[in-house]
PDB file of all heavy atoms in Angstrom:
ATOM      1  N   TRP A 792     123.052  63.191 199.566  1.00 64.00           N
ATOM      2  CA  TRP A 792     122.630  61.891 200.087  1.00 64.00           C
ATOM      3  C   TRP A 792     123.313  60.733 199.383  1.00 64.00           C
ATOM      4  O   TRP A 792     123.871  59.850 200.003  1.00 64.00           O
ATOM      5  CB  TRP A 792     121.122  61.744 199.912  1.00 64.00           C
ATOM      6  CG  TRP A 792     120.353  62.041 201.156  1.00 64.00           C
ATOM      7  CD1 TRP A 792     120.757  62.758 202.232  1.00 64.00           C
ATOM      8  CD2 TRP A 792     119.022  61.605 201.435  1.00 64.00           C
ATOM      9  NE1 TRP A 792     119.759  62.822 203.169  1.00 64.00           N
ATOM     10  CE2 TRP A 792     118.692  62.120 202.705  1.00 64.00           C
ATOM     11  CE3 TRP A 792     118.093  60.851 200.735  1.00 64.00           C
ATOM     12  CZ2 TRP A 792     117.448  61.887 203.290  1.00 64.00           C
ATOM     13  CZ3 TRP A 792     116.861  60.627 201.316  1.00 64.00           C
ATOM     14  CH2 TRP A 792     116.549  61.139 202.586  1.00 64.00           C
ATOM     15  N   GLU A 793     123.210  60.726 198.050  1.00 67.00           N
ATOM     16  CA  GLU A 793     123.723  59.577 197.311  1.00 67.00           C
ATOM     17  C   GLU A 793     125.240  59.490 197.446  1.00 67.00           C
ATOM     18  O   GLU A 793     125.798  58.395 197.544  1.00 67.00           O
ATOM     19  CB  GLU A 793     123.290  59.654 195.851  1.00 67.00           C
ATOM     20  CG  GLU A 793     121.787  59.503 195.688  1.00 67.00           C
ATOM     21  CD  GLU A 793     121.403  58.927 194.336  1.00 67.00           C
ATOM     22  OE1 GLU A 793     122.159  58.109 193.798  1.00 67.00           O
ATOM     23  OE2 GLU A 793     120.341  59.305 193.840  1.00 67.00           O
ATOM     24  N   LYS A 794     125.906  60.627 197.467  1.00 71.00           N
ATOM     25  CA  LYS A 794     127.359  60.619 197.650  1.00 71.00           C
ATOM     26  C   LYS A 794     127.724  60.006 199.001  1.00 71.00           C
ATOM     27  O   LYS A 794     128.619  59.160 199.092  1.00 71.00           O
ATOM     28  CB  LYS A 794     127.908  62.048 197.573  1.00 71.00           C
ATOM     29  CG  LYS A 794     129.415  62.137 197.772  1.00 71.00           C
ATOM     30  CD  LYS A 794     129.892  63.576 197.657  1.00 71.00           C
ATOM     31  CE  LYS A 794     129.445  64.411 198.843  1.00 71.00           C
ATOM     32  NZ  LYS A 794     129.983  65.785 198.786  1.00 71.00           N
ATOM     33  N   ARG A 795     127.013  60.402 200.044  1.00 71.00           N
ATOM     34  CA  ARG A 795     127.295  59.869 201.373  1.00 71.00           C
ATOM     35  C   ARG A 795     126.932  58.389 201.479  1.00 71.00           C
ATOM     36  O   ARG A 795     127.581  57.629 202.185  1.00 71.00           O
ATOM     37  CB  ARG A 795     126.573  60.701 202.436  1.00 71.00           C
ATOM     38  CG  ARG A 795     127.203  62.066 202.623  1.00 71.00           C
ATOM     39  CD  ARG A 795     126.361  62.987 203.469  1.00 71.00           C
ATOM     40  NE  ARG A 795     126.999  64.288 203.541  1.00 71.00           N
ATOM     41  CZ  ARG A 795     127.731  64.725 204.567  1.00 71.00           C
ATOM     42  NH1 ARG A 795     127.947  63.933 205.592  1.00 71.00           N
ATOM     43  NH2 ARG A 795     128.262  65.925 204.553  1.00 71.00           N
ATOM     44  N   ALA A 796     125.872  57.988 200.776  1.00 67.00           N
ATOM     45  CA  ALA A 796     125.462  56.579 200.806  1.00 67.00           C
ATOM     46  C   ALA A 796     126.549  55.679 200.244  1.00 67.00           C
ATOM     47  O   ALA A 796     126.674  54.520 200.657  1.00 67.00           O
ATOM     48  CB  ALA A 796     124.171  56.400 200.025  1.00 67.00           C
ATOM     49  N   ARG A 797     127.351  56.191 199.320  1.00 74.00           N
ATOM     50  CA  ARG A 797     128.397  55.367 198.705  1.00 74.00           C
ATOM     51  C   ARG A 797     129.556  55.070 199.651  1.00 74.00           C
ATOM     52  O   ARG A 797     130.409  54.245 199.350  1.00 74.00           O
ATOM     53  CB  ARG A 797     128.907  56.046 197.426  1.00 74.00           C
ATOM     54  CG  ARG A 797     127.898  56.015 196.275  1.00 74.00           C
ATOM     55  CD  ARG A 797     128.550  56.339 194.949  1.00 74.00           C
ATOM     56  NE  ARG A 797     129.040  57.697 194.889  1.00 74.00           N
ATOM     57  CZ  ARG A 797     128.319  58.755 194.495  1.00 74.00           C
ATOM     58  NH1 ARG A 797     127.045  58.589 194.133  1.00 74.00           N
ATOM     59  NH2 ARG A 797     128.846  59.957 194.438  1.00 74.00           N
ATOM     60  N   ILE A 798     129.563  55.708 200.818  1.00 77.00           N
ATOM     61  CA  ILE A 798     130.603  55.424 201.807  1.00 77.00           C
ATOM     62  C   ILE A 798     130.337  54.090 202.492  1.00 77.00           C
ATOM     63  O   ILE A 798     131.256  53.377 202.880  1.00 77.00           O
ATOM     64  CB  ILE A 798     130.669  56.561 202.852  1.00 77.00           C
ATOM     65  CG1 ILE A 798     131.058  57.883 202.167  1.00 77.00           C
ATOM     66  CG2 ILE A 798     131.646  56.219 203.972  1.00 77.00           C
ATOM     67  CD1 ILE A 798     130.952  59.083 203.082  1.00 77.00           C
ATOM     68  N   ALA A 799     129.056  53.731 202.643  1.00 78.00           N
ATOM     69  CA  ALA A 799     128.686  52.480 203.317  1.00 78.00           C
ATOM     70  C   ALA A 799     129.080  51.277 202.466  1.00 78.00           C
ATOM     71  O   ALA A 799     129.239  51.396 201.243  1.00 78.00           O
ATOM     72  CB  ALA A 799     127.183  52.477 203.594  1.00 78.00           C
ATOM     73  N   PRO A 800     129.240  50.113 203.067  1.00 75.00           N
ATOM     74  CA  PRO A 800     129.712  48.941 202.319  1.00 75.00           C
ATOM     75  C   PRO A 800     128.897  48.592 201.086  1.00 75.00           C
ATOM     76  O   PRO A 800     129.471  48.157 200.076  1.00 75.00           O
ATOM     77  CB  PRO A 800     129.650  47.820 203.372  1.00 75.00           C
ATOM     78  CG  PRO A 800     129.922  48.519 204.654  1.00 75.00           C
ATOM     79  CD  PRO A 800     129.218  49.842 204.524  1.00 75.00           C
ATOM     80  N   GLN A 801     127.579  48.764 201.113  1.00 71.00           N
ATOM     81  CA  GLN A 801     126.783  48.413 199.941  1.00 71.00           C
ATOM     82  C   GLN A 801     126.804  49.498 198.862  1.00 71.00           C
ATOM     83  O   GLN A 801     126.311  49.282 197.761  1.00 71.00           O
ATOM     84  CB  GLN A 801     125.342  48.092 200.337  1.00 71.00           C
ATOM     85  CG  GLN A 801     125.199  46.733 200.983  1.00 71.00           C
ATOM     86  CD  GLN A 801     123.759  46.241 201.003  1.00 71.00           C
ATOM     87  OE1 GLN A 801     122.810  47.010 200.936  1.00 71.00           O
ATOM     88  NE2 GLN A 801     123.596  44.937 201.084  1.00 71.00           N
ATOM     89  N   ARG A 802     127.370  50.658 199.174  1.00 75.00           N
ATOM     90  CA  ARG A 802     127.618  51.706 198.179  1.00 75.00           C
ATOM     91  C   ARG A 802     126.350  52.249 197.509  1.00 75.00           C
ATOM     92  O   ARG A 802     126.372  52.634 196.354  1.00 75.00           O
ATOM     93  CB  ARG A 802     128.565  51.203 197.065  1.00 75.00           C
ATOM     94  CG  ARG A 802     129.877  50.640 197.569  1.00 75.00           C
ATOM     95  CD  ARG A 802     130.839  51.770 197.960  1.00 75.00           C
ATOM     96  NE  ARG A 802     132.123  51.196 198.318  1.00 75.00           N
ATOM     97  CZ  ARG A 802     132.519  50.957 199.573  1.00 75.00           C
ATOM     98  NH1 ARG A 802     131.707  51.249 200.570  1.00 75.00           N
ATOM     99  NH2 ARG A 802     133.701  50.440 199.825  1.00 75.00           N
ATOM    100  N   ARG A 803     125.223  52.275 198.222  1.00 82.00           N
ATOM    101  CA  ARG A 803     124.000  52.826 197.641  1.00 82.00           C
ATOM    102  C   ARG A 803     123.040  53.213 198.750  1.00 82.00           C
ATOM    103  O   ARG A 803     123.124  52.693 199.874  1.00 82.00           O
ATOM    104  CB  ARG A 803     123.317  51.800 196.735  1.00 82.00           C
ATOM    105  CG  ARG A 803     122.748  50.580 197.463  1.00 82.00           C
ATOM    106  CD  ARG A 803     121.901  49.718 196.552  1.00 82.00           C
ATOM    107  NE  ARG A 803     121.375  48.523 197.203  1.00 82.00           N
ATOM    108  CZ  ARG A 803     120.224  48.471 197.884  1.00 82.00           C
ATOM    109  NH1 ARG A 803     119.489  49.580 198.032  1.00 82.00           N
ATOM    110  NH2 ARG A 803     119.809  47.341 198.429  1.00 82.00           N
ATOM    111  N   PRO A 804     122.107  54.108 198.473  1.00 84.00           N
ATOM    112  CA  PRO A 804     121.041  54.368 199.444  1.00 84.00           C
ATOM    113  C   PRO A 804     120.016  53.249 199.417  1.00 84.00           C
ATOM    114  O   PRO A 804     119.917  52.491 198.444  1.00 84.00           O
ATOM    115  CB  PRO A 804     120.433  55.689 198.945  1.00 84.00           C
ATOM    116  CG  PRO A 804     120.697  55.687 197.479  1.00 84.00           C
ATOM    117  CD  PRO A 804     122.011  54.970 197.275  1.00 84.00           C
ATOM    118  N   GLY A 805     119.247  53.133 200.479  1.00 88.00           N
ATOM    119  CA  GLY A 805     118.162  52.175 200.509  1.00 88.00           C
ATOM    120  C   GLY A 805     116.896  52.761 199.917  1.00 88.00           C
ATOM    121  O   GLY A 805     116.834  53.939 199.535  1.00 88.00           O
ATOM    122  N   THR A 806     115.872  51.941 199.844  1.00 94.00           N
ATOM    123  CA  THR A 806     114.573  52.395 199.368  1.00 94.00           C
ATOM    124  C   THR A 806     113.552  52.252 200.484  1.00 94.00           C
ATOM    125  O   THR A 806     113.705  51.427 201.402  1.00 94.00           O
ATOM    126  CB  THR A 806     114.093  51.578 198.161  1.00 94.00           C
ATOM    127  OG1 THR A 806     113.802  50.234 198.579  1.00 94.00           O
ATOM    128  CG2 THR A 806     115.154  51.561 197.058  1.00 94.00           C
ATOM    129  N   ALA A 807     112.498  53.035 200.381  1.00 95.00           N
ATOM    130  CA  ALA A 807     111.430  52.949 201.377  1.00 95.00           C
ATOM    131  C   ALA A 807     110.804  51.563 201.390  1.00 95.00           C
ATOM    132  O   ALA A 807     110.411  51.055 202.451  1.00 95.00           O
ATOM    133  CB  ALA A 807     110.375  54.012 201.085  1.00 95.00           C
ATOM    134  N   GLU A 808     110.725  50.943 200.239  1.00 97.00           N
ATOM    135  CA  GLU A 808     110.113  49.610 200.157  1.00 97.00           C
ATOM    136  C   GLU A 808     110.946  48.562 200.892  1.00 97.00           C
ATOM    137  O   GLU A 808     110.393  47.652 201.528  1.00 97.00           O
ATOM    138  CB  GLU A 808     109.929  49.213 198.688  1.00 97.00           C
ATOM    139  CG  GLU A 808     108.836  49.978 197.961  1.00 97.00           C
ATOM    140  CD  GLU A 808     109.207  51.440 197.675  1.00 97.00           C
ATOM    141  OE1 GLU A 808     110.423  51.752 197.603  1.00 97.00           O
ATOM    142  OE2 GLU A 808     108.285  52.270 197.530  1.00 97.00           O
ATOM    143  N   GLU A 809     112.265  48.682 200.824  1.00 96.00           N
ATOM    144  CA  GLU A 809     113.120  47.746 201.558  1.00 96.00           C
ATOM    145  C   GLU A 809     112.901  47.884 203.065  1.00 96.00           C
ATOM    146  O   GLU A 809     112.862  46.884 203.803  1.00 96.00           O
ATOM    147  CB  GLU A 809     114.589  47.989 201.205  1.00 96.00           C
ATOM    148  CG  GLU A 809     114.965  47.536 199.798  1.00 96.00           C
ATOM    149  CD  GLU A 809     116.364  47.937 199.405  1.00 96.00           C
ATOM    150  OE1 GLU A 809     116.770  49.084 199.661  1.00 96.00           O
ATOM    151  OE2 GLU A 809     117.069  47.092 198.823  1.00 96.00           O
ATOM    152  N   VAL A 810     112.749  49.112 203.525  1.00 97.00           N
ATOM    153  CA  VAL A 810     112.508  49.332 204.948  1.00 97.00           C
ATOM    154  C   VAL A 810     111.123  48.826 205.337  1.00 97.00           C
ATOM    155  O   VAL A 810     110.941  48.200 206.395  1.00 97.00           O
ATOM    156  CB  VAL A 810     112.669  50.821 205.298  1.00 97.00           C
ATOM    157  CG1 VAL A 810     112.400  51.050 206.782  1.00 97.00           C
ATOM    158  CG2 VAL A 810     114.064  51.322 204.936  1.00 97.00           C
ATOM    159  N   ALA A 811     110.133  49.066 204.487  1.00 98.00           N
ATOM    160  CA  ALA A 811     108.769  48.608 204.771  1.00 98.00           C
ATOM    161  C   ALA A 811     108.700  47.091 204.882  1.00 98.00           C
ATOM    162  O   ALA A 811     107.929  46.549 205.685  1.00 98.00           O
ATOM    163  CB  ALA A 811     107.810  49.101 203.685  1.00 98.00           C
ATOM    164  N   ASP A 812     109.496  46.383 204.095  1.00 97.00           N
ATOM    165  CA  ASP A 812     109.552  44.926 204.197  1.00 97.00           C
ATOM    166  C   ASP A 812     109.962  44.510 205.613  1.00 97.00           C
ATOM    167  O   ASP A 812     109.409  43.571 206.195  1.00 97.00           O
ATOM    168  CB  ASP A 812     110.558  44.348 203.202  1.00 97.00           C
ATOM    169  CG  ASP A 812     110.053  44.360 201.772  1.00 97.00           C
ATOM    170  OD1 ASP A 812     108.846  44.598 201.562  1.00 97.00           O
ATOM    171  OD2 ASP A 812     110.863  44.130 200.852  1.00 97.00           O
ATOM    172  N   LEU A 813     110.951  45.205 206.164  1.00 98.00           N
ATOM    173  CA  LEU A 813     111.418  44.888 207.517  1.00 98.00           C
ATOM    174  C   LEU A 813     110.350  45.216 208.555  1.00 98.00           C
ATOM    175  O   LEU A 813     110.111  44.438 209.487  1.00 98.00           O
ATOM    176  CB  LEU A 813     112.705  45.658 207.815  1.00 98.00           C
ATOM    177  CG  LEU A 813     113.270  45.512 209.229  1.00 98.00           C
ATOM    178  CD1 LEU A 813     113.568  44.053 209.559  1.00 98.00           C
ATOM    179  CD2 LEU A 813     114.519  46.378 209.390  1.00 98.00           C
ATOM    180  N   VAL A 814     109.693  46.359 208.402  1.00 98.00           N
ATOM    181  CA  VAL A 814     108.627  46.738 209.339  1.00 98.00           C
ATOM    182  C   VAL A 814     107.533  45.685 209.353  1.00 98.00           C
ATOM    183  O   VAL A 814     107.078  45.238 210.421  1.00 98.00           O
ATOM    184  CB  VAL A 814     108.039  48.115 208.976  1.00 98.00           C
ATOM    185  CG1 VAL A 814     106.841  48.438 209.877  1.00 98.00           C
ATOM    186  CG2 VAL A 814     109.092  49.210 209.090  1.00 98.00           C
ATOM    187  N   ALA A 815     107.100  45.268 208.167  1.00 98.00           N
ATOM    188  CA  ALA A 815     106.030  44.270 208.081  1.00 98.00           C
ATOM    189  C   ALA A 815     106.449  42.950 208.723  1.00 98.00           C
ATOM    190  O   ALA A 815     105.652  42.292 209.399  1.00 98.00           O
ATOM    191  CB  ALA A 815     105.628  44.059 206.628  1.00 98.00           C
TER     192      ALA A 815
END
């Protein structure tokens, strides 16, 4: 997962809390 996440421009995986902020 983390290796693949580094391919994206931000170079990291997200967190559940970041996604929850958007849902709320």
Side-chain angles (χ1 to χ4, degrees):
W792 261 21
E793 293 207 33
K794 179 179 71 176
R795 288 169 183 260
R797 289 196 294 272
I798 297 172
Q801 284 197 337
R802 305 283 185 262
R803 67 171 178 88
T806 68
E808 288 72 24
E809 288 173 316
V810 179
D812 285 348
L813 176 59
V814 175

